[in-house]
Amino acid sequence: MTNKPLIIAIDGYSSCGKSTFAKAIAHWLHYIHIDSGAMYRAVTLFALQNGLYKNGKLDAGKLISLLPEITIVFKKNPRTGNTETWLNGKNVEKEIRSIEVSNHVSEVSKIPQVREHLVNLQRRLAGRKGVVMEGRDIGTVVFPHADIKIFMTASPQVRAMRRYKEMLEKKEHSTYEEVLKNVIERDRIDSEREVSPLRQAKDALVLNNSKMTVEEQMNWIKGIIRKKLAEQNDKENAD
Ligand code: DC
């Protein structure tokens, strides 16, 4: 009996550990993992690199007209096994995680035409394969019929501390207070924006991982996935 591949949507606040969790699930199931936030970050990097900011203000009209010229692909790095983001033929995985991109990405991701363009791309990338996609609107907009929807959350302090430690490891300079401010501000913008705000899908399962290890989170989701696959089998047998 072969199961129909699942679509697993992971949404939630920034720095909740969505990527670590989504990657681990995709690895376990041999599914593809798509980080939709990386796509919004790549478009933001494109805007920064192409002089679309004048006196700190984004020329949204110009960015919209240039959307057809932006090519975003994900490639597996054969050395590390990690999936990396390429923008117009260049590996930008590191650049899209910079504080400069982080500070501009909310503005870019609230432009309706940018969202429409990227949502289409996200649906195409998933194709008919099994996919674990993470973001803010995956369970609500991109795949409203996803088989499993998870909404991740953790306290702003826990998230800021995780992000701060990551930055220290990468030798990026910032203070904990600055990171906490950025986390709170992005939560506000993500949940208050007019187009596709961050909100929990009605049928999403909430995962508050403030006090959970990755292993505990994996044990939790494995139970849910096994149940879903068993339901699918039962349904097929009954048909
Ligand atoms: O997950 P992240 O922090 O890398 O996402 C970067 C930004 O992109 C974040 O501020 C919100 C936005 N985003 C979005 O609007 N919709 C998504 N599906 C994913 C990310």
Side-chain angles (χ1 to χ4, degrees):
M1 179 75 44
T2 49
N3 281 104
K4 185 167 79 60
L6 302 176
I7 294 182
I8 302 178
I10 315 268
D11 289 302
Y13 292 97
S14 66
S15 306
C16 255
K18 290 195 297 292
S19 281
T20 308
F21 190 46
K23 265 183 217 161
I25 300 170
H27 182 76
W28 182 60
L29 288 169
H30 302 288
Y31 279 10
I32 55 169
H33 159 241
I34 296 174
D35 172 5
S36 65
M39 299 162 98
Y40 289 94
R41 288 175 177 274
V43 173
T44 306
L45 181 65
F46 177 90
L48 287 163
Q49 286 178 338
N50 287 274
L52 302 187
Y53 282 89
K54 294 270 148 57
N55 301 324
K57 204 179 162 326
L58 173 67
D59 185 343
K62 189 86 201 276
L63 177 61
I64 293 164
S65 73
L66 290 173
L67 284 174
E69 290 177 30
I70 303 179
T71 307
I72 301 167
V73 291
F74 293 109
K75 290 191 200 174
K76 201 171 197 159
N77 180 326
R79 198 172 45 81
T80 60
N82 291 333
T83 304
E84 294 174 338
T85 314
W86 289 61
L87 167 67
N88 291 347
K90 194 170 165 256
N91 184 338
V92 293
E93 187 56 35
K94 192 152 180 267
E95 281 166 282
I96 59 168
R97 313 282 166 195
S98 69
I99 195 87
E100 199 190 5
V101 170
S102 297
N103 286 339
H104 289 87
V105 66
S106 294
E107 191 187 5
V108 168
S109 50
K110 68 182 183 205
I111 303 171
Q113 290 87 340
V114 169
R115 300 203 70 84
E116 201 186 312
H117 185 78
L118 293 184
V119 167
N120 286 335
L121 184 56
Q122 285 150 18
R123 289 184 182 143
R124 275 206 307 277
L125 283 175
R128 284 156 192 263
K129 292 171 283 216
V131 65
V132 185
M133 193 177 291
E134 56 165 299
R136 303 292 191 285
D137 60 344
I138 310 305
T140 51
V141 176
V142 184
F143 294 118
H145 303 296
D147 300 285
I148 297 175
K149 299 181 187 180
I150 308 294
F151 189 83
M152 288 180 77
T153 159
S155 74
Q157 288 75 12
V158 166
R159 291 186 281 132
M161 187 48 82
R162 285 182 190 154
R163 178 95 192 91
Y164 175 63
K165 283 185 184 159
E166 264 170 35
M167 291 175 85
L168 281 185
E169 274 168 27
K170 289 194 222 158
K171 307 218 175 349
E172 286 177 24
H173 297 288
S174 202
T175 61
Y176 167 75
E177 286 72 23
E178 221 181 322
V179 177
L180 180 62
K181 220 173 106 198
N182 181 274
V183 163
I184 293 172
E185 180 60 7
R186 277 170 60 194
D187 283 0
R188 192 187 63 73
I189 301 176
D190 285 352
S191 11
E192 288 180 6
R193 73 166 174 238
E194 264 177 50
V195 198
S196 305
L198 170 66
R199 61 184 168 79
Q200 188 190 325
K202 280 198 191 77
D203 47 351
L205 303 165
V206 178
L207 172 63
N208 183 330
N209 68 0
S210 296
K211 292 182 184 148
M212 282 171 93
T213 62
V214 176
E215 200 188 342
E216 285 166 339
Q217 295 173 59
M218 281 308 289
N219 287 337
W220 176 78
I221 192 81
K222 280 180 183 175
I224 291 164
I225 292 171
R226 285 192 184 107
K227 191 160 161 261
K228 191 80 196 171
L229 292 173
E231 278 170 14
Q232 221 185 53
N233 276 337
D234 288 348
K235 196 169 169 294
E236 258 179 55
N237 289 336
D239 286 344

